[in-house]
Amino acid sequence: MRALLLALLVVAAAGPACVTTQQVDPDRSPDPRDDLPELAAPAPSPAELKRAQLAAEHPLATVVALSDAEPQAELRVVLSTGSADDPAGKEGIAGLLARLLGHGTEKLTAAELAETLTRMSATLDVRADKDAIALTGRVPREHAAAYAELLLDVLLHPRLTAEELDRCKDEQRAQLREPPRDGPESSMSRATLEALIYGGATFVPGAFKEGARHGYAHATAGTPAGIDAVTIEDVRGLHERALVRDRLVLGVAGSAPTALVARLTSALEALPFSDGERAPPAPPAQPDDNVLVVVETPTAGATIAVGFALADLARAHADYPALAVAMAWLSEHRAPVDHVLDAAHTRRGVGLGECDAQGPPPTGQIACLAPGLPRRSWHFSSWVGPVERKSRLFMLRQTLDELDRFVRDGIPDDESFARAQAAVQASGQRALAGATRADVNAAIKRHLRADRLSLVVVTDDGSAFAADVAANKRAPPVYLAPKVDKARRGEDARIDAVDLRIAADHVVVVKPDALVGR
């Protein structure tokens, strides 16, 4: 009986089987062979038993949200491998695999793949992030079945040739050096901040004494040396390791036929399993005090970014909804509630362009429609800028002071808390807006801090600015507003006396070109 049950389990794991029946003639003469003992079914092999066990323990992860009201179907496949898994010396290999997945299949060249997508009025986006490679496609319902086959061909049979790899390498090297689309200073400050949080020892070795270099320390596109070192055999090996059933998520949404879901599920369930659990990321090294990287580049003003790693935080964490509301209150970019922007610009009249604070990325949407990609390590970051050059030192102090008060006092009143909740709901994250103000303030104290910070300032004349910071030089704000009341000036005098707590050996000045190879 046990062998039969195991055999049935193997069949169930392998998929639906074809069952036949045979009609017996009651007037048929007895056949001597009828008395022969039935042959026992062959026992499952160890490999079959192992696969059946793994299939039971690791069912294919799927997220399905079908709706005939939608004009298109959306398909997403997320592979649980990303740039954080790049081997040392091969930084950029995950990004190269993602590019190659979009460069054709064994049957279709890159041009033919693009032509096929155009005929279907469909799109295909393949991108790598820190912890995942995601393939996302959109297609009208009438072409959904054919598109599913195309997506499987792209995923299972990509054109992994040396010639295509060389083309992708050229594209990826160019990406490392291309100007950011949303403003060079703001993007540079945030990218440098992330590199500082996860790989601070490469910037300020004496300030980071514990922990290993984190996989997030290098850019998703890698480094020039890492890209050069990757071979086509490396990429083929990564493709084989990444394409495993237990480290993959399938998402189907919109106007897709149910048969399409069954087809994709069946094909992906046939994939092999990984060799074991994915190792958790090592915690990044923490600075022993505030550290500052000044990126010296020609610019009219300055952009300031501050942040730190968040330990043990994920979307499933009980404090995640509370922190989402906290981030909306602190500074939600271009949202109706923006505390940092209000404090700097409206109430003081200090010259300021944009503000942003990023805690946990947006969520609450269907997984396969979410704008972001899954990450296993999280960090808090806030950036301010561009600010006028003459106000940069005061704004650095104000940024630190606002963070200190935020950690200490949380959200101070119900009115602004309600606006933050409304901002979260308006962004499609209704499930995250249920936390109370007490919940939010308690979560802030548990997870956020105002010391041992990583700071980045992008500005010109970086050496002079770094010297002013190390000397804790005072610099009162320069007001643009015609009148600033006496109470505000008194408050600003207090902020101007805030100790920056950044020692001379915890400040470094770098040029933008030096960031490319890190």
Side-chain angles (χ1 to χ4, degrees):
M1 177 63 72
R2 183 181 179 187
L4 177 60
L5 289 175
L6 288 173
L8 289 174
L9 185 58
V10 171
V11 172
C18 179
V19 179
T20 60
T21 61
Q22 182 180 7
Q23 297 294 328
V24 179
D25 185 357
D27 299 325
R28 180 178 64 89
S29 299
D31 190 324
R33 292 174 294 180
D34 291 344
D35 296 330
L36 294 176
E38 292 187 7
L39 295 176
S45 68
E48 290 172 325
L49 293 175
K50 180 65 174 177
R51 181 172 179 83
Q53 179 184 356
L54 290 171
E57 295 174 353
H58 304 283
L60 182 70
T62 59
V63 180
V64 179
L66 303 183
S67 171
D68 290 337
E70 298 293 332
Q72 290 187 318
E74 179 160 352
L75 285 66
R76 172 174 280 203
V77 177
V78 179
L79 308 178
S80 294
T81 189
S83 63
D85 303 303
D86 291 347
K90 303 289 177 95
E91 293 84 359
I93 185 172
L96 289 170
L97 174 58
R99 288 180 185 275
L100 281 163
L101 289 174
H103 269 240
T105 71
E106 293 176 355
K107 297 178 181 178
L108 299 174
T109 65
E112 290 169 340
L113 174 60
E115 182 182 351
T116 302
L117 291 169
T118 300
R119 287 201 304 268
M120 293 182 181
S121 299
T123 62
L124 175 63
D125 177 71
V126 187
R127 65 181 62 193
D129 193 60
K130 301 295 187 182
D131 280 314
I133 294 175
L135 297 85
T136 304
R138 296 176 179 85
V139 62
R141 178 185 173 88
E142 59 269 23
H143 299 301
Y147 186 88
E149 298 301 324
L150 181 66
L151 181 64
L152 288 174
D153 197 29
V154 167
L155 182 65
L156 304 178
H157 309 290
R159 184 175 287 260
L160 302 182
T161 65
E163 293 77 14
E164 289 297 336
L165 176 61
D166 287 340
R167 294 187 185 96
C168 290
K169 283 186 174 184
D170 290 340
E171 293 175 3
Q172 201 147 305
R173 292 187 192 100
Q175 179 187 341
L176 286 173
R177 293 179 170 83
E178 69 181 3
R181 296 178 182 178
D182 60 341
E185 293 85 5
S186 60
S187 290
M188 192 181 300
S189 64
R190 284 176 286 173
T192 306
L193 177 64
E194 187 167 284
L196 179 60
I197 290 172
Y198 292 106
T202 63
F203 291 93
V204 194
F208 294 82
K209 302 184 183 303
E210 298 179 2
R213 179 180 170 89
H214 195 280
Y216 287 13
H218 66 270
T220 303
T223 65
I227 293 171
D228 292 343
V230 173
T231 67
I232 192 60
E233 288 76 18
D234 295 329
V235 177
R236 289 170 180 163
L238 176 60
H239 179 252
E240 181 178 352
R241 294 190 301 275
L243 210 60
V244 288
R245 170 175 165 168
D246 51 321
R247 295 187 186 175
L248 177 150
V249 179
L250 167 66
V252 183
S255 184
T258 55
L260 179 149
V261 179
R263 167 64 180 132
L264 291 173
T265 301
S266 176
L268 297 178
E269 282 181 338
L271 292 172
F273 289 90
S274 65
D275 294 334
E277 294 293 331
R278 190 180 185 191
Q286 299 284 351
D288 58 9
D289 207 342
N290 292 347
V291 295
L292 170 66
V293 172
V294 181
V295 183
E296 187 175 57
T297 187
T299 178
T303 302
I304 301 165
V306 57
F308 49 84
L310 289 168
D312 302 324
L313 186 66
R315 286 176 177 155
H317 197 288
D319 286 338
Y320 179 78
L323 289 174
V325 177
M327 293 304 101
W329 184 88
L330 181 64
S331 176
E332 186 69 25
H333 188 36
R334 294 192 180 97
V337 52
D338 191 328
H339 178 74
V340 176
L341 179 62
D342 181 60
H345 185 63
T346 308
R347 287 186 275 142
R348 284 183 170 81
V350 173
L352 183 66
E354 300 172 343
C355 294
D356 190 18
Q358 297 177 341
T363 186
Q365 302 184 24
I366 300 169
C368 63
L369 296 177
L373 289 165
R375 290 197 174 188
R376 299 187 298 161
S377 296
W378 300 62
H379 67 274
F380 167 86
S381 68
S382 177
W383 63 271
V384 180
V387 301
E388 290 195 342
R389 187 177 184 276
K390 56 191 176 183
S391 299
R392 61 187 180 182
L393 201 53
F394 177 81
M395 284 304 304
L396 177 61
R397 279 193 168 89
Q398 190 198 343
T399 300
L400 296 177
D401 184 67
E402 292 291 346
L403 179 57
D404 182 68
R405 289 201 292 178
F406 184 57
V407 173
R408 184 181 66 246
D409 302 332
I411 301 178
D413 62 275
D414 290 332
E415 183 179 351
S416 63
F417 174 72
R419 290 199 304 270
Q421 281 188 312
V424 172
Q425 290 179 331
S427 66
Q429 305 177 76
R430 293 183 180 275
L432 299 183
T436 67
R437 185 160 69 93
D439 294 335
V440 172
N441 289 344
I444 290 170
K445 289 184 181 298
R446 280 192 291 269
H447 295 279
L448 304 187
R449 67 174 191 251
D451 61 349
R452 294 177 294 117
L453 302 173
S454 296
L455 298 113
V456 173
V457 176
V458 179
T459 188
D460 67 341
D461 195 15
S463 297
F465 178 72
D468 289 344
V469 169
N472 201 35
K473 180 180 177 180
R474 299 179 64 168
V478 178
Y479 301 110
L480 301 181
K483 293 183 179 180
V484 177
D485 61 53
K486 185 177 180 181
R488 179 63 56 204
R489 289 181 180 274
E491 173 71 2
D492 290 350
R494 181 192 64 79
I495 293 174
D496 190 38
V498 166
D499 187 353
L500 293 172
R501 307 190 314 274
I502 305 175
D505 60 353
H506 281 42
V507 182
V508 295
V509 181
V510 299
K511 299 287 188 181
D513 289 346
L515 302 173
V516 174
R518 289 183 183 271

